[in-house]
Structures are given as C-alpha cells and as structure tokens.
Amino acid sequence: GQNIDQPTEMTATEGAIVQINCTYQTSGFNGLFWYQQHAGEAPTFLSYNVLDGLEEKGRFSSFLSRSKGYSYLLLKELQMKDSASYLCAVTDSNYQLIWGAGTKLIIKP
Amino acid sequence: DAGITQSPRYKITETGRQVTLMCHQTWSHSYMFWYRQDLGHGLRLIYYSAAADITDKGEVPDGYVVSRSKTENFPLTLESATRSQTSVYFCASSPGQEATNEKLFFGSGTQLSVL
C-alpha cells in the first residue's frame, strides 16, 4: 500500500529552528509537496520538490532524497504565526496525490 | 478576485437527508477536486474533474455524487447523509497546464455535521 509518515505533533520555541520530517512509500514518484494549514483554515502551498536537494524560500526550506523516500521541511527564525499543521503530499506514478496526516507544530514564546 | 469559494461554511443535517455542497472558482482552472479531512487521516480525495462534463472517482467516492456542467462550478452531493460523512470538506482547483502535478488552491472548507 501507499503510505506517508509524519510526526503527529512537534513543539518548538519562538526564534528557533525546527525540522519536520516526512517519509513515503508510494507506487512511483512524481513530486513532493508541503502545505501549511492554520487551524480552521484551508491548506496553502509552501513548496514543491521533484529533484534531490534543498529548495530554499525565505525562512522555509524543503529537502528531498528520492533514494531514501524522505523529505523534510525546515523552518527558521520561528514566529508565533508559524503555529499550524504542515502537510506532506506525494504524487505517485499515476499523478495521484497521496497525503500524510499532517504535523501539528506548536510554537511557544 | 474571489478565487475559489465554498458554501455553506457550516452545515448541520440529519441522517438520510440529501445535502449539496457548493464550490465556485473564478480562475477558469481546468481541474477541480473534492477532499474530506478527518482527524488522524490525510486529505482523502472523493471526486475530481479534469474539465466540464468530465469527472472521476477518487479514493472514497461511495455515497457522493458530483457534476460539472460549467468549468467554474463543481457541486458535491451527499445523496443520503450518514454519520460517517461528518467531516470537513475542501474543494480545490489547479490550472491543469502541467498534467496533474501542480499545486492546489483550496477553498475555505465546509464543516458538515450529520446527526
């Protein structure tokens, strides 16, 4: 079966750095997405990786290793507004999006 | 620019009733999707549409019906609501210019409770 694993919840301190991991086992691979979802709101796109390596976008970076079936989202200089759930999603060989259950990130002052 | 809008925002209904959730987008995106989101689960695809008059089942289509007579609208109907359909429903769209491997734009969601 197809599976995406993320930690259920993480806690970090304002101003610090946090890394949210995502591992996947899917039928083929055509890209990996990260979305941010604040409580009671819709998911919004953060990043997309299809090749190995690090993609940096301001305070957020996303890394992919296709050989290991692994990605992480790195958030730097954490702000209270970064408190949200972070969803990892993989596009399989049929271009179907497979979603992880999400990681709830709690930021403490 | 309204983007993608869903209505209603909240809905309470009873088992056995028919319910229709509305989704409207102003971008002329080709692809539209319906997802449900439940605690402990990732987003699960109910139905999707590649263009007007073209719809396909997703992972969890049972008990749901969709139609897409116009590009901008993609309503989702629960023919006879059950308690297991209590969930948050998200409509999403994507331009459809690069197969289906594009980022999604989500509506604000409909929180549905079936009593």
Side-chain angles (χ1 to χ4, degrees):
Chain A
Q2 309 210 82
N3 194 50
I4 296 184
D5 288 315
Q6 309 178 231
T8 302
E9 187 175 295
M10 299 181 70
T11 302
T13 304
E14 190 176 16
I17 299 172
V18 71
Q19 178 175 309
I20 302 174
N21 295 326
C22 170
T23 58
Y24 62 89
Q25 300 92 37
T26 56
S27 302
F29 177 85
N30 276 302
L32 184 144
F33 293 86
W34 284 96
Y35 284 78
Q36 180 190 58
Q37 185 178 24
H38 286 100
E41 297 184 9
T44 55
F45 170 80
L46 282 178
S47 68
Y48 171 68
N49 294 68
V50 66
L51 299 176
D52 291 350
L54 187 69
E55 295 275 346
E56 297 187 76
K57 194 183 293 185
R59 293 188 299 115
F60 291 11
S61 303
S62 57
F63 172 83
L64 174 67
S65 169
R66 288 173 296 171
S67 63
K68 295 182 179 179
Y70 168 69
S71 173
Y72 68 72
L73 181 68
L74 191 71
L75 290 72
K76 301 177 185 177
E77 302 169 15
L78 286 170
Q79 302 175 8
M80 297 304 294
K81 68 178 182 179
D82 297 330
S83 292
S85 289
Y86 292 86
L87 314 181
C88 175
V90 171
T91 308
D92 69 11
S93 56
N94 294 319
Y95 288 95
Q96 299 298 312
L97 254 185
I98 313 300
W99 294 83
T103 298
K104 182 178 180 180
L105 178 62
I106 299 168
I107 309 296
K108 295 187 174 180
Chain B
D1 185 355
I4 182 165
T5 55
Q6 292 184 235
S7 62
R9 187 76 174 88
Y10 303 94
K11 176 74 177 177
I12 299 174
T13 190
E14 296 176 339
T15 56
R17 290 193 181 267
Q18 183 180 81
V19 177
T20 296
L21 310 183
M22 305 302 292
C23 180
H24 176 79
Q25 53 106 354
T26 60
W27 294 307
S28 299
H29 282 176
S30 295
Y31 280 85
M32 296 188 75
F33 307 83
W34 274 107
Y35 285 95
R36 60 178 290 173
Q37 187 175 42
D38 305 287
L39 274 175
H41 291 273
L43 288 163
R44 289 184 289 178
L45 183 64
I46 303 170
Y47 270 95
Y48 68 100
S49 168
D53 297 322
I54 300 174
T55 62
D56 275 301
K57 294 179 180 180
E59 180 187 356
V60 289
D62 293 344
Y64 303 95
V65 174
V66 293
S67 62
R68 194 162 177 211
S69 56
K70 294 183 178 180
T71 299
E72 60 265 32
N73 296 324
F74 191 40
L76 176 73
T77 297
L78 288 67
E79 295 184 293
S80 178
T82 64
R83 290 195 179 91
S84 65
Q85 292 177 311
T86 292
S87 186
V88 179
Y89 291 85
F90 285 104
C91 179
S93 71
S94 67
Q97 295 171 355
E98 298 176 23
T100 58
N101 204 26
E102 298 175 315
K103 67 179 181 181
L104 300 178
F105 297 83
F106 285 85
S108 298
T110 296
Q111 191 168 316
L112 176 68
S113 296
V114 183
L115 306 179

